[in-house]
Coordinates of all heavy atoms in Angstrom, one line a residue:
T1 N -6.3 -4.9 -11.9 CA -6.9 -4.7 -13.2 C -5.8 -4.8 -14.3 O -6.0 -5.4 -15.4 CB -7.6 -3.3 -13.3 OG1 -8.6 -3.3 -12.3 CG2 -8.3 -3.1 -14.7
V2 N -4.7 -4.1 -14.2 CA -3.7 -4.1 -15.2 C -3.1 -5.5 -15.3 O -2.9 -6.0 -16.4 CB -2.5 -3.1 -14.8 CG1 -1.3 -3.3 -15.7 CG2 -3.0 -1.7 -14.8
H3 N -2.9 -6.2 -14.2 CA -2.4 -7.6 -14.3 C -3.4 -8.5 -15.0 O -3.0 -9.3 -15.9 CB -2.2 -8.1 -12.9 CG -1.4 -9.4 -12.9 ND1 -2.1 -10.6 -12.9 CD2 -0.1 -9.7 -13.0 CE1 -1.2 -11.6 -13.0 NE2 0.0 -11.1 -13.0
K4 N -4.7 -8.4 -14.7 CA -5.7 -9.2 -15.4 C -5.7 -8.8 -16.9 O -5.8 -9.7 -17.8 CB -7.1 -9.0 -14.8 CG -8.1 -9.9 -15.4 CD -9.4 -9.9 -14.6 CE -10.4 -10.9 -15.1 NZ -10.6 -12.0 -14.3
D5 N -5.6 -7.6 -17.2 CA -5.6 -7.1 -18.6 C -4.4 -7.7 -19.4 O -4.6 -8.2 -20.5 CB -5.5 -5.6 -18.7 CG -6.8 -4.9 -18.3 OD1 -7.8 -5.5 -18.2 OD2 -6.7 -3.6 -18.2
C6 N -3.3 -7.7 -18.7 CA -2.0 -8.2 -19.4 C -1.8 -9.7 -19.3 O -1.0 -10.2 -20.1 CB -0.8 -7.5 -18.8 SG -0.9 -5.7 -19.0
S7 N -2.5 -10.4 -18.5 CA -2.3 -11.8 -18.4 C -3.4 -12.7 -18.9 O -3.2 -13.8 -19.3 CB -2.0 -12.2 -16.9 OG -3.1 -11.9 -16.1
E8 N -4.6 -12.1 -19.0 CA -5.8 -12.9 -19.4 C -6.5 -12.3 -20.6 O -6.7 -12.9 -21.6 CB -6.8 -13.1 -18.3 CG -6.3 -13.9 -17.1 CD -7.2 -13.9 -16.0 OE1 -8.4 -13.6 -16.2 OE2 -6.8 -14.3 -14.9
R9 N -6.9 -11.0 -20.5 CA -7.8 -10.4 -21.5 C -7.0 -10.2 -22.8 O -7.6 -10.3 -23.9 CB -8.3 -9.1 -21.0 CG -9.3 -9.2 -19.9 CD -9.8 -7.9 -19.4 NE -10.8 -8.1 -18.3 CZ -10.8 -7.4 -17.2 NH1 -9.9 -6.5 -17.0 NH2 -11.7 -7.7 -16.3
I10 N -5.8 -9.9 -22.8 CA -5.0 -9.6 -24.0 C -4.9 -10.8 -24.9 O -4.8 -10.8 -26.1 CB -3.7 -8.9 -23.7 CG1 -3.0 -8.4 -25.0 CG2 -2.7 -9.9 -23.1 CD1 -3.7 -7.3 -25.7
R11 N -4.9 -12.0 -24.2 CA -4.7 -13.3 -25.0 C -5.9 -13.4 -26.0 O -5.7 -14.0 -27.1 CB -4.7 -14.4 -24.0 CG -4.2 -15.7 -24.6 CD -4.3 -16.9 -23.7 NE -3.4 -16.6 -22.5 CZ -3.3 -17.5 -21.5 NH1 -3.8 -18.7 -21.6 NH2 -2.5 -17.2 -20.5
E12 N -7.1 -13.0 -25.6 CA -8.2 -13.1 -26.5 C -8.1 -12.1 -27.7 O -8.7 -12.3 -28.8 CB -9.5 -12.8 -25.8 CG -9.8 -13.8 -24.7 CD -11.0 -13.3 -23.8 OE1 -11.8 -12.4 -24.3 OE2 -11.2 -13.8 -22.7
I13 N -7.4 -11.0 -27.5 CA -7.4 -9.9 -28.5 C -6.2 -10.0 -29.4 O -6.4 -10.0 -30.7 CB -7.4 -8.5 -27.8 CG1 -8.6 -8.4 -26.9 CG2 -7.3 -7.4 -28.8 CD1 -8.5 -7.2 -26.0
D14 N -5.0 -10.2 -28.9 CA -3.8 -10.2 -29.7 C -2.8 -11.1 -29.1 O -2.1 -10.7 -28.1 CB -3.3 -8.8 -29.8 CG -2.1 -8.6 -30.8 OD1 -1.5 -9.6 -31.2 OD2 -1.8 -7.5 -31.1
T15 N -2.6 -12.3 -29.6 CA -1.7 -13.3 -29.0 C -0.2 -12.8 -29.1 O 0.6 -13.1 -28.2 CB -1.8 -14.7 -29.6 OG1 -1.7 -14.6 -31.0 CG2 -3.2 -15.2 -29.3
S16 N 0.2 -12.2 -30.2 CA 1.6 -11.8 -30.3 C 1.9 -10.7 -29.3 O 3.0 -10.7 -28.7 CB 1.9 -11.3 -31.7 OG 1.2 -10.1 -32.0
L17 N 1.0 -9.8 -29.0 CA 1.2 -8.7 -28.0 C 1.2 -9.4 -26.6 O 2.0 -9.0 -25.8 CB 0.1 -7.7 -28.1 CG 0.2 -6.5 -27.1 CD1 1.5 -5.8 -27.3 CD2 -1.0 -5.6 -27.3
Y18 N 0.4 -10.4 -26.4 CA 0.4 -11.1 -25.2 C 1.8 -11.7 -24.9 O 2.3 -11.6 -23.8 CB -0.7 -12.3 -25.2 CG -0.5 -13.3 -24.1 CD1 -0.8 -13.0 -22.8 CD2 0.0 -14.5 -24.4 CE1 -0.7 -13.9 -21.8 CE2 0.2 -15.5 -23.4 CZ -0.2 -15.2 -22.1 OH 0.0 -16.1 -21.1
E19 N 2.4 -12.3 -25.9 CA 3.7 -12.9 -25.7 C 4.8 -11.8 -25.3 O 5.6 -12.1 -24.4 CB 4.2 -13.6 -27.0 CG 3.3 -14.8 -27.4 CD 3.5 -16.0 -26.4 OE1 4.6 -16.1 -25.9 OE2 2.5 -16.7 -26.3
R20 N 4.7 -10.7 -25.9 CA 5.7 -9.6 -25.6 C 5.4 -9.1 -24.2 O 6.4 -8.9 -23.5 CB 5.6 -8.5 -26.7 CG 6.0 -8.9 -28.0 CD 6.0 -7.7 -29.0 NE 4.7 -7.1 -29.0 CZ 4.1 -6.7 -30.0 NH1 4.6 -6.8 -31.2 NH2 2.9 -6.1 -29.9
V21 N 4.2 -8.9 -23.8 CA 3.9 -8.4 -22.5 C 4.3 -9.4 -21.5 O 4.8 -9.1 -20.4 CB 2.4 -8.0 -22.4 CG1 2.0 -7.7 -20.9 CG2 2.1 -6.8 -23.3
R22 N 4.0 -10.7 -21.7 CA 4.3 -11.7 -20.8 C 5.8 -11.7 -20.5 O 6.3 -11.9 -19.4 CB 3.9 -13.1 -21.3 CG 4.0 -14.2 -20.2 CD 3.7 -15.5 -20.8 NE 4.8 -15.8 -21.8 CZ 4.8 -16.8 -22.6 NH1 3.8 -17.7 -22.5 NH2 5.7 -17.1 -23.4
D23 N 6.7 -11.6 -21.6 CA 8.1 -11.6 -21.4 C 8.5 -10.4 -20.5 O 9.4 -10.6 -19.6 CB 8.8 -11.4 -22.7 CG 8.7 -12.7 -23.6 OD1 8.4 -13.8 -23.0 OD2 8.9 -12.6 -24.8
I24 N 7.9 -9.2 -20.7 CA 8.3 -8.1 -19.8 C 7.9 -8.3 -18.4 O 8.6 -8.0 -17.4 CB 7.7 -6.8 -20.4 CG1 8.3 -6.5 -21.7 CG2 7.8 -5.6 -19.4 CD1 7.7 -5.4 -22.5
L25 N 6.7 -8.8 -18.2 CA 6.2 -9.1 -16.8 C 7.0 -10.2 -16.1 O 7.3 -10.0 -14.9 CB 4.7 -9.5 -16.8 CG 3.7 -8.5 -17.3 CD1 2.3 -9.0 -17.3 CD2 3.8 -7.2 -16.5
E26 N 7.4 -11.2 -16.9 CA 8.3 -12.2 -16.3 C 9.7 -11.6 -15.9 O 10.2 -11.9 -14.8 CB 8.5 -13.4 -17.2 CG 7.3 -14.3 -17.3 CD 7.5 -15.4 -18.3 OE1 8.5 -15.5 -19.0 OE2 6.5 -16.1 -18.5
H27 N 10.2 -10.7 -16.7 CA 11.5 -10.0 -16.4 C 11.3 -9.2 -15.1 O 12.1 -9.2 -14.2 CB 11.9 -9.2 -17.5 CG 13.1 -8.3 -17.2 ND1 14.4 -8.8 -17.0 CD2 13.1 -7.0 -16.9 CE1 15.2 -7.8 -16.7 NE2 14.4 -6.7 -16.6
N28 N 10.2 -8.4 -15.1 CA 10.0 -7.6 -13.9 C 9.8 -8.4 -12.6 O 10.3 -8.0 -11.6 CB 8.7 -6.7 -14.1 CG 8.9 -5.6 -15.1 OD1 10.1 -5.3 -15.4 ND2 7.8 -5.1 -15.6
L29 N 9.2 -9.6 -12.7 CA 9.1 -10.5 -11.6 C 10.4 -11.0 -11.2 O 10.7 -11.1 -10.0 CB 8.1 -11.6 -11.9 CG 7.9 -12.7 -10.9 CD1 7.1 -12.0 -9.7 CD2 7.0 -13.8 -11.4
A30 N 11.3 -11.3 -12.1 CA 12.6 -11.8 -11.8 C 13.5 -10.8 -11.1 O 14.4 -11.2 -10.3 CB 13.3 -12.4 -13.1
V31 N 13.3 -9.5 -11.4 CA 14.2 -8.5 -10.8 C 13.6 -7.7 -9.7 O 14.2 -6.8 -9.2 CB 14.7 -7.6 -11.9 CG1 15.6 -8.3 -12.9 CG2 13.7 -6.8 -12.5
R32 N 12.4 -8.1 -9.3 CA 11.7 -7.2 -8.3 C 12.5 -7.2 -6.9 O 12.4 -6.2 -6.2 CB 10.3 -7.7 -8.1 CG 10.0 -8.9 -7.2 CD 8.6 -9.1 -7.1 NE 8.4 -10.4 -6.5 CZ 7.3 -11.0 -6.2 NH1 6.2 -10.4 -6.5 NH2 7.2 -12.2 -5.7
H33 N 13.1 -8.3 -6.6 CA 13.9 -8.3 -5.3 C 15.0 -7.3 -5.4 O 15.4 -6.8 -4.4 CB 14.4 -9.7 -5.0 CG 15.4 -10.3 -5.9 ND1 15.1 -10.7 -7.2 CD2 16.7 -10.4 -5.8 CE1 16.2 -11.1 -7.8 NE2 17.2 -10.9 -7.0
L34 N 15.6 -7.1 -6.6 CA 16.6 -6.1 -6.8 C 16.1 -4.7 -6.6 O 16.8 -3.9 -6.0 CB 17.3 -6.3 -8.1 CG 18.0 -7.6 -8.4 CD1 18.5 -7.7 -9.8 CD2 19.1 -7.9 -7.4
R35 N 14.9 -4.5 -7.1 CA 14.3 -3.1 -7.0 C 14.0 -2.8 -5.6 O 14.2 -1.7 -5.1 CB 13.0 -3.0 -7.8 CG 13.3 -2.9 -9.3 CD 12.0 -2.7 -10.0 NE 12.3 -2.7 -11.4 CZ 11.5 -3.2 -12.3 NH1 10.3 -3.7 -12.0 NH2 11.8 -3.2 -13.6
G36 N 13.5 -3.8 -4.9 CA 13.2 -3.6 -3.4 C 14.4 -3.4 -2.6 O 14.4 -2.5 -1.7
G37 N 15.5 -4.1 -2.9 CA 16.7 -3.9 -2.2 C 17.3 -2.5 -2.4 O 17.8 -1.8 -1.5
E38 N 17.2 -2.0 -3.7 CA 17.7 -0.7 -4.0 C 16.9 0.4 -3.3 O 17.4 1.4 -2.8 CB 17.7 -0.5 -5.5 CG 18.2 0.9 -6.0 CD 19.6 1.2 -5.6 OE1 20.4 0.2 -5.4 OE2 20.0 2.4 -5.5
A39 N 15.6 0.2 -3.3 CA 14.7 1.2 -2.6 C 15.1 1.3 -1.1 O 15.1 2.4 -0.5 CB 13.3 0.8 -2.8
T40 N 15.3 0.1 -0.5 CA 15.7 0.1 0.9 C 17.0 0.8 1.1 O 17.2 1.6 2.1 CB 15.7 -1.3 1.5 OG1 14.5 -1.9 1.2 CG2 16.1 -1.4 2.9
R41 N 18.0 0.5 0.3 CA 19.3 1.2 0.4 C 19.2 2.7 0.2 O 19.8 3.4 1.0 CB 20.2 0.6 -0.7 CG 21.7 1.1 -0.6 CD 22.6 0.5 -1.7 NE 22.4 1.2 -2.9 CZ 22.9 2.4 -3.2 NH1 23.6 3.1 -2.3 NH2 22.7 3.0 -4.4
Q42 N 18.4 3.1 -0.7 CA 18.2 4.6 -0.9 C 17.5 5.2 0.3 O 17.9 6.3 0.7 CB 17.4 4.8 -2.2 CG 18.1 4.5 -3.5 CD 19.2 5.5 -3.7 OE1 19.2 6.7 -3.3 NE2 20.3 5.0 -4.3
K43 N 16.6 4.5 0.9 CA 15.8 5.0 2.0 C 16.8 5.3 3.2 O 16.8 6.3 3.8 CB 14.8 4.0 2.4 CG 14.0 4.4 3.7 CD 13.0 3.3 4.1 CE 12.5 3.5 5.4 NZ 11.6 2.4 5.8
F44 N 17.7 4.3 3.5 CA 18.6 4.4 4.6 C 19.7 5.4 4.3 O 20.3 6.0 5.2 CB 19.0 3.1 5.1 CG 18.0 2.3 5.8 CD1 17.4 1.2 5.3 CD2 17.5 2.8 7.1 CE1 16.3 0.5 5.9 CE2 16.5 2.1 7.7 CZ 15.9 1.0 7.2
H45 N 20.1 5.5 3.0 CA 21.2 6.4 2.6 C 20.7 7.8 2.8 O 21.5 8.7 3.3 CB 21.6 6.1 1.2 CG 22.6 7.1 0.7 ND1 23.9 7.0 1.1 CD2 22.5 8.1 -0.2 CE1 24.6 8.0 0.5 NE2 23.8 8.6 -0.3
H46 N 19.5 8.1 2.5 CA 19.0 9.5 2.7 C 18.6 9.9 4.1 O 18.5 11.0 4.4 CB 17.8 9.7 1.7 CG 18.1 9.7 0.3 ND1 18.9 10.7 -0.3 CD2 17.8 8.9 -0.7 CE1 19.1 10.5 -1.5 NE2 18.4 9.4 -1.8
S47 N 18.4 8.9 4.9 CA 18.0 9.2 6.3 C 19.2 9.5 7.2 O 19.0 10.0 8.3 CB 17.2 8.0 6.9 OG 18.0 6.9 7.0
R48 N 20.4 9.3 6.7 CA 21.5 9.5 7.6 C 22.0 10.9 7.5 O 21.9 11.8 7.0 CB 22.7 8.7 7.1 CG 22.5 7.2 7.5 CD 23.7 6.4 7.2 NE 23.4 5.0 7.6 CZ 24.3 4.2 7.7 NH1 25.6 4.4 7.4 NH2 24.0 2.9 8.1

């Protein structure tokens, strides 16, 4: 629902807000592999 709100519905309401949200979502997509790697590192660090 959040993804649909931020990628489709907002475009009809406010195009400038759509552009700002899209930039943030693209950044989050670009760094998600780093977040996943950090979560895995933390998981194994705490299990020792």
